[in-house]
Amino acid sequence: MTTHTTRMLILGSGPAGLSAAIYGARAGMEPIVVQGIQPGGQLTTTTDVENYPGFREVIQGPWLMQEMQAQAEHVGTRMMWDTIVEVDLTRRPFRLIGDSGEIYVGDVLVIATGAQAKWLGLDSEEALKGKGVSACATCDGFFYRGKKVAVIGGGNTAVEEALYLTNHSPDVTLIHRRDSFRAEKILQQRLFANERIKVLWNKEVETFVDGGGIAGLVALELRDTVTGELSRLDVEGGFVAIGHHPATELFRGHLELDADHYIKVETGTTRTSVPGVFACGDVMDKVYRQAVTAAGTGCMAALDAERFLAEADFEKVAEAAE
Ligand code: FAD
Ligand code: NAP
């Protein structure tokens, strides 16, 4: 069994992990990135990316992630094809075990394991993902300029996405399975004041209706959760906004998580409840969830980690001198 040792161990190869790697490598921390089961992260599951700064032309998500990885490797990052299955955060250096059985030891640990959108679990939803069905209005809303769209959900995300979509669409329907939202009141007030949005209460999506050929989504078949009655709503975009699963199962009982299972960090930093462990990207951010914000917090994690190691090294030297 091989043991891989580094100053800076990074879990996750999305924009957060790779940005942490670029900064960490340039600071001489010789990072190791354990890529996980989705090398390149969520952006590898999409096509057009139009909001990552620096590119006037539309770029492709998988291409962007290849470029980030190439840059990280170019400055000295080692990429590992493995997934961490066990962690020990009780003492430094931290010791983690991969699915391969290999051991990873890091003086500091950066967690960038991301989050995955929750889906309704319908076959028709799966079939139309990327063809009218999306879980990110900020990412895909622009593609539905002037078209009728619907958002499914009743929390902050759903209300924010509905409000955001009115920038592009004159006709947004918010569909919720109950007769009241759990979103904050201030967001609800904004929603109800917006003439471009209508709310359908007590409705669940039964089917995302495929128009066939290149048409993609053309309508939603809805079921009333009280009466069972079926109805149809013509839309070209359907945004599922029913929450996300942060990839934090591995850290339960090892790190402080919030009520929604996101890793808790000290405000304005990436420091977690365990000194020497830092978290960045969607695994600690349930509000912004964008590639550029994930990259930004990845940079913060590397800078926080570098400072932590400098202080720890200084303390060691001071102790030895006493
Ligand atoms: P992720 O990209 O989720 O990466 C997580 C990484 O962690 C993966 O590499 C995974 O393999 C790894 N991992 C997980 N568990 C383990 C483990 N146990 N061990 C090792 N590694 C592990 N944002 C935009 O800004 N613009 C867009 O146009 C856009 N479009 C999108 C389209 C789609 C379809 C989706 C799903 C998202 C889109 N986003 C977009 C959002 C953006 O992709 C995310 O905000 C961003 O990828 C988050 O980056 P991250 O590095 O935090 O996590
Ligand atoms: P959420 O608060 O968990 O809300 C999920 C919504 O989706 C709920 O209304 C739920 O309905 C509905 N839902 C869940 N499963 C469903 C299903 N299978 N079919 C139909 N509807 C379903 O998730 P969120 O809105 O993503 O927010 C998550 C956390 O992030 C919250 O703490 C939120 O406050 C926070 N957040 C904050 C901001 C901000 O501060 N600006 C922005 C976004 C998110 P029920 O209500 O019936 O359960």
Side-chain angles (χ1 to χ4, degrees):
M1 219 165 355
T2 316
T3 298
H4 306 277
T5 304
T6 172
R7 293 284 271 167
M8 186 193 205
L9 181 60
I10 300 170
L11 304 194
S13 52
L18 291 176
S19 300
I22 291 165
Y23 277 79
R26 287 171 52 81
M29 290 189 278
E30 296 179 341
I32 286 180
V33 171
V34 182
Q35 305 193 60
I37 48 163
Q38 192 177 59
Q42 294 170 60
L43 275 192
T44 60
T45 68
T46 189
T47 51
D48 295 357
V49 176
E50 297 195 25
N51 53 13
Y52 197 82
F55 305 95
R56 233 177 312 170
E57 307 295 331
V58 176
I59 55 167
Q60 300 298 300
W63 175 84
L64 179 62
M65 297 319 300
Q66 273 169 22
E67 291 297 307
M68 278 193 207
Q69 179 176 331
Q71 187 180 359
E73 288 181 306
H74 178 69
V75 290
T77 303
R78 274 185 288 164
M79 302 296 297
M80 297 291 172
W81 189 276
D82 207 349
T83 298
I84 297 301
V85 292
E86 214 178 301
V87 300
D88 179 3
L89 306 183
T90 54
R91 66 185 78 85
R92 279 203 321 119
F94 304 114
R95 194 170 177 279
L96 286 78
I97 301 176
D99 196 29
S100 61
E102 311 236 319
I103 294 167
Y104 299 88
V105 176
D107 287 336
V108 289
L109 175 66
V110 172
I111 301 172
T113 49
Q116 299 288 330
K118 289 184 193 166
W119 294 96
L120 296 171
L122 302 168
D123 291 343
S124 56
E125 172 188 62
E126 189 59 37
L128 286 169
K129 274 183 197 169
K131 296 176 201 155
V133 176
S134 164
C136 181
T138 323
C139 314
D140 298 333
F142 192 68
F143 303 121
Y144 299 90
R145 284 184 303 276
K147 297 179 175 169
K148 284 175 77 170
V149 296
V151 177
I152 298 113
N156 275 358
T157 304
V159 172
E160 282 188 346
E161 300 232 316
L163 286 164
Y164 175 81
L165 285 165
T166 60
N167 294 321
H168 305 297
S169 166
D171 191 335
V172 179
T173 305
L174 182 51
I175 297 163
H176 185 35
R177 64 183 175 185
R178 295 189 292 119
D179 63 358
S180 65
F181 290 128
R182 65 171 68 216
E184 287 168 66
K185 287 283 171 292
I186 177 104
L187 284 175
Q188 295 194 36
Q189 281 164 9
R190 260 181 246 156
L191 179 95
F192 294 132
N194 194 314
E195 286 176 355
R196 293 184 152 209
I197 303 176
K198 352 184 233 302
V199 178
L200 285 182
W201 301 108
N202 300 319
K203 297 276 188 289
E204 265 176 350
V205 177
E206 185 84 355
T207 316
F208 291 89
V209 182
D210 191 343
I214 56 158
L217 180 74
V218 291
L220 303 178
E221 194 175 87
L222 303 173
R223 179 181 293 278
D224 192 293
T225 54
V226 180
T227 63
E229 194 184 321
L230 289 175
S231 57
R232 179 182 161 113
L233 178 73
D234 289 336
V235 288
E236 288 177 64
F239 292 86
V240 179
I242 61 171
H244 284 74
H245 290 294
T248 54
E249 245 144 67
L250 199 55
F251 308 107
R252 278 189 200 165
H254 299 275
L255 283 177
E256 272 180 37
L257 307 180
D258 74 8
D260 299 309
H261 312 296
Y262 287 79
I263 296 180
K264 272 194 187 171
V265 292
E266 258 175 62
T267 310
T269 78
T270 60
R271 290 197 290 263
T272 70
S273 56
V274 173
V277 179
F278 305 89
C280 50
D282 284 13
V283 77
M284 48 71 91
D285 165 23
K286 59 186 171 198
V287 178
Y288 302 105
R289 293 195 281 244
Q290 295 298 294
V292 67
T293 48
T297 53
C299 158
M300 287 168 66
L303 298 180
D304 286 343
E306 189 193 348
R307 261 170 230 152
F308 175 87
L309 284 177
E311 277 164 29
D313 289 347
F314 178 77
E315 276 166 26
K316 246 194 236 162
V317 172
E319 266 169 34
E322 270 170 19

